[in-house]
Amino acid sequence: MRQFDVTLDHALDDSLLTEVAYWINFASQQVVKFHIDPIGRAAIRVWATDDADPDEISRKIRTTVAWSVAEQQGHDGGDDSPRSVRFGPSRGPAGLTPDDAVTAGALTPLGIADVVIGEPLVTLIRGLDETFRELAAGFGAREAAYSTLLPAQYLERLRYFDAFPQNVLFPVHLDTDIDTAQRYVNQTLDNQGQPPRDDFDGFAPRDQVLAPAACFHVYQGLEGRHLTENTAITTLGRCYRYESRNAVLIERLWDFSMREVVFVGSPDYVRSCRDESRRRVLELVERWQLGGTIVPGHDPFFLRGDRPDAVVDAQPKFELRLDLPYKDGDFACASFNVHGTFFGSAGEIVDSSGEIAWTGCTAFGLERWAWAILAQHGLDPEGWPADLRRLHKQAA
C-alpha cells in the first residue's frame, strides 16, 4: 500500500469537512482510505493501492474536493440564510454501538452495503412508517404504490445524471435473443458456474434505473396533468443509491426504505405544507426524546448545474440530522424540500390556477430513524421513552 499527502490550495471550512469526506470516497477505486488533517484542514493523508500513481490520485482528489466545495458554497444563501438549529438532549453516552447491535443479533453484516436487519429494528421500522403515514394523512395525502424502476429517459429530462452520477444504480438484463442466452449459458458452464460479466457483449441497453428517491414516480405519474386542487400524495418506496465506501452497516445502505409525502400545487400551499410537516416532525422528535439538528440542505440535485427553466425557492431544503452518540456525529434522517417549478416544468404539471405547479416533499429514511433511536436509547424497548414504547408495542 502506498502512502502520500495531498495538499489543497486552501484550508477547508470546518462546516464542509463531512460532505467533502463523503465525496472523496468516489474519487478513485485505488484510494483505500484517507484522513483529512482536522487542524490545518489543508492536507489529506492518502493510503492507496500499490499500483496507484500519486500524482494522478492527487489530481482526482483535488478535483473532487474543489467540486464538492463549489457545490456547497454555491447553495449557501448568504448571511441571511437559515442556520443550524440544535434540539433535544446533547450528545451523551451511546445507547447502542454497532458492535453491540451485531453481538445482540439486531444487525448481521453480510457484505458491502448488505446487512440482515433483525429485532427490535424490524418492528420499529414498521411502527415508524405507520406514524409517518398517519402524518401524511393529516395533510389529506392519498396513498400510492409504484415500481422500483424508472425510465432512464425520465431522469435524463430531470438532469439527474449530471447532478449525482456517482449514486446511480442500473439494473441490467440480457438481450432478448435465444442465441445470446445460449452463449451466456455456455460461457457460464465453461467457467464452472461463474457467469460472464463486463466482457460479455450481450447485455441490453441500460434504459431503466433503480429509483434513487420515492417521489420521482409521483411527479412522473402527474405529467401532463391539469390539477383541479392542491394535491398531496404519500408513498413508501425502496430506493437505491450507490454509496461506495460510505456504506457502513445500517448508516448508509445501497438500498433502503423511504416514506415520502409529496405536495403539488400553488407556491403558498407547497411552502406551508413543507413548513408544517417540519413542525410536526419536530414534535415527534421531542416526544421521542431524540437529539439532533435541523440544518439547511446544500445538495438538492435540482439546483446543480444549469437549470434555466425552473423557479426555485430561496431555501429549497432542510435536513433533520439525528445524533449518533457512539461516534459523536449525526446523519440525515429526514428532509423537507421545496422544488419550486422544477418538476412541474419538466412534466408540464399545471396547478388549479393554470400556472406551472410547484412541488415539495418531506422524506423519511426509515432504517436511519430506527438506528438513531437505538443509538440514542438502547436495544431494549422497555428503556425507551413512553411514546416510543407504545409505537413499538402497537407495531409488534
Side-chain angles (χ1 to χ4, degrees):
M1 189 180 303
R2 307 192 69 172
Q3 177 182 314
F4 50 91
D5 291 332
V6 177
T7 303
L8 305 177
D9 293 334
H10 305 285
L12 295 168
D13 186 273
D14 189 60
S15 64
L16 304 179
L17 291 179
T18 298
E19 190 70 9
V20 167
Y22 172 83
W23 286 109
I24 288 177
N25 280 305
F26 293 95
S28 172
Q29 288 187 343
Q30 292 177 305
V31 174
V32 178
K33 62 179 180 178
F34 62 89
H35 175 71
I36 302 175
D37 173 18
I39 307 300
R41 302 191 301 278
I44 303 173
R45 177 67 51 85
V46 176
W47 291 263
T49 56
D50 290 336
D51 60 342
D53 179 346
D55 291 339
E56 184 65 8
I57 296 298
S58 296
R59 180 191 66 79
K60 290 183 177 182
I61 288 179
R62 288 164 61 88
T63 299
T64 302
V65 170
W67 175 85
S68 176
V69 169
E71 286 295 321
Q72 294 179 75
Q73 292 177 340
H75 300 147
D76 186 352
D79 292 338
D80 295 331
S81 63
R83 301 301 177 186
S84 300
V85 177
R86 181 82 196 159
F87 59 84
S90 60
R91 293 174 184 155
L96 190 74
T97 69
D99 287 344
D100 294 336
V102 171
T103 299
L107 293 174
T108 304
L110 298 179
I112 298 175
D114 192 6
V115 61
V116 178
I117 300 174
E119 294 291 0
L121 285 161
V122 171
T123 298
L124 182 55
I125 289 169
R126 186 164 57 245
L128 287 167
D129 182 55
E130 179 60 22
T131 299
F132 298 140
R133 193 188 65 80
E134 291 175 358
L135 183 148
F139 290 92
R142 68 177 189 268
E143 188 146 20
Y146 304 92
S147 161
T148 60
L149 298 179
L150 276 171
Q153 286 187 341
Y154 181 66
L155 286 192
E156 287 172 12
R157 285 198 285 114
L158 298 182
R159 301 290 298 275
Y160 192 87
F161 292 112
D162 59 76
F164 288 116
Q166 298 94 332
N167 292 132
V168 177
L169 287 167
F170 294 91
V172 296
H173 62 89
L174 295 177
D175 282 327
T176 306
D177 182 270
I178 186 60
D179 294 335
T180 298
Q182 190 59 56
R183 187 158 52 90
Y184 188 83
V185 168
N186 291 338
Q187 290 188 30
T188 300
L189 292 173
D190 291 343
N191 203 28
Q192 289 77 49
Q194 181 177 332
R197 292 183 173 85
D198 295 337
D199 58 346
F200 188 74
D201 61 1
F203 291 111
R206 297 175 183 177
D207 56 5
Q208 298 286 321
V209 298
L210 295 170
C215 60
F216 288 155
H217 287 100
V218 177
Y219 313 127
Q220 184 190 24
L222 293 175
E223 283 195 300
R225 294 276 298 276
H226 189 152
L227 304 177
T228 59
E229 59 184 355
N230 293 323
T231 300
I233 298 172
T234 186
T235 187
L236 172 65
R238 200 72 185 168
C239 300
Y240 301 82
R241 298 176 190 173
Y242 173 65
E243 292 287 0
S244 184
R245 287 183 296 269
N246 294 301
V248 179
L249 272 183
I250 199 172
E251 288 184 30
R252 281 190 184 273
L253 298 168
W254 288 9
D255 66 296
F256 55 93
S257 304
M258 183 183 290
R259 165 67 66 178
E260 292 212 46
V261 194
V262 176
F263 310 106
V264 188
S266 70
D268 287 344
Y269 168 75
V270 171
R271 286 193 188 105
S272 64
C273 287
R274 190 274 299 270
D275 293 342
E276 176 62 15
S277 68
R278 185 177 59 186
R279 186 190 69 78
R280 295 184 190 184
V281 170
L282 286 176
E283 286 182 351
L284 290 173
V285 168
E286 182 178 3
R287 282 165 35 199
W288 295 343
Q289 298 176 32
L290 296 172
T293 312
I294 286 279
V295 300
H298 55 265
D299 65 344
F301 85 91
F302 52 89
L303 294 186
R304 293 179 182 264
D306 185 17
R307 303 292 190 267
D309 297 329
V311 176
V312 296
D313 199 57
Q315 184 54 57
K317 180 175 182 176
F318 290 92
E319 284 186 345
L320 183 145
R321 303 185 65 87
L322 294 178
D323 290 344
L324 297 175
Y326 60 83
K327 62 188 297 182
D328 193 28
D330 59 20
F331 65 164
C333 292
S335 65
F336 310 89
N337 310 278
V338 173
H339 318 116
T341 63
F342 179 80
F343 289 103
S345 296
E348 298 182 343
I349 307 170
V350 178
D351 68 15
S352 58
S353 68
E355 300 293 327
I356 294 296
W358 276 47
T359 67
C361 67
T362 295
F364 306 95
L366 299 181
E367 290 87 355
R368 288 192 178 193
W369 274 87
W371 180 239
I373 289 169
L374 264 64
Q376 295 190 35
H377 292 311
L379 197 62
D380 184 4
E382 291 303 313
W384 297 352
D387 280 348
L388 277 176
R389 292 199 305 271
R390 190 177 306 111
L391 178 154
H392 184 266
K393 184 176 181 179
Q394 289 174 347

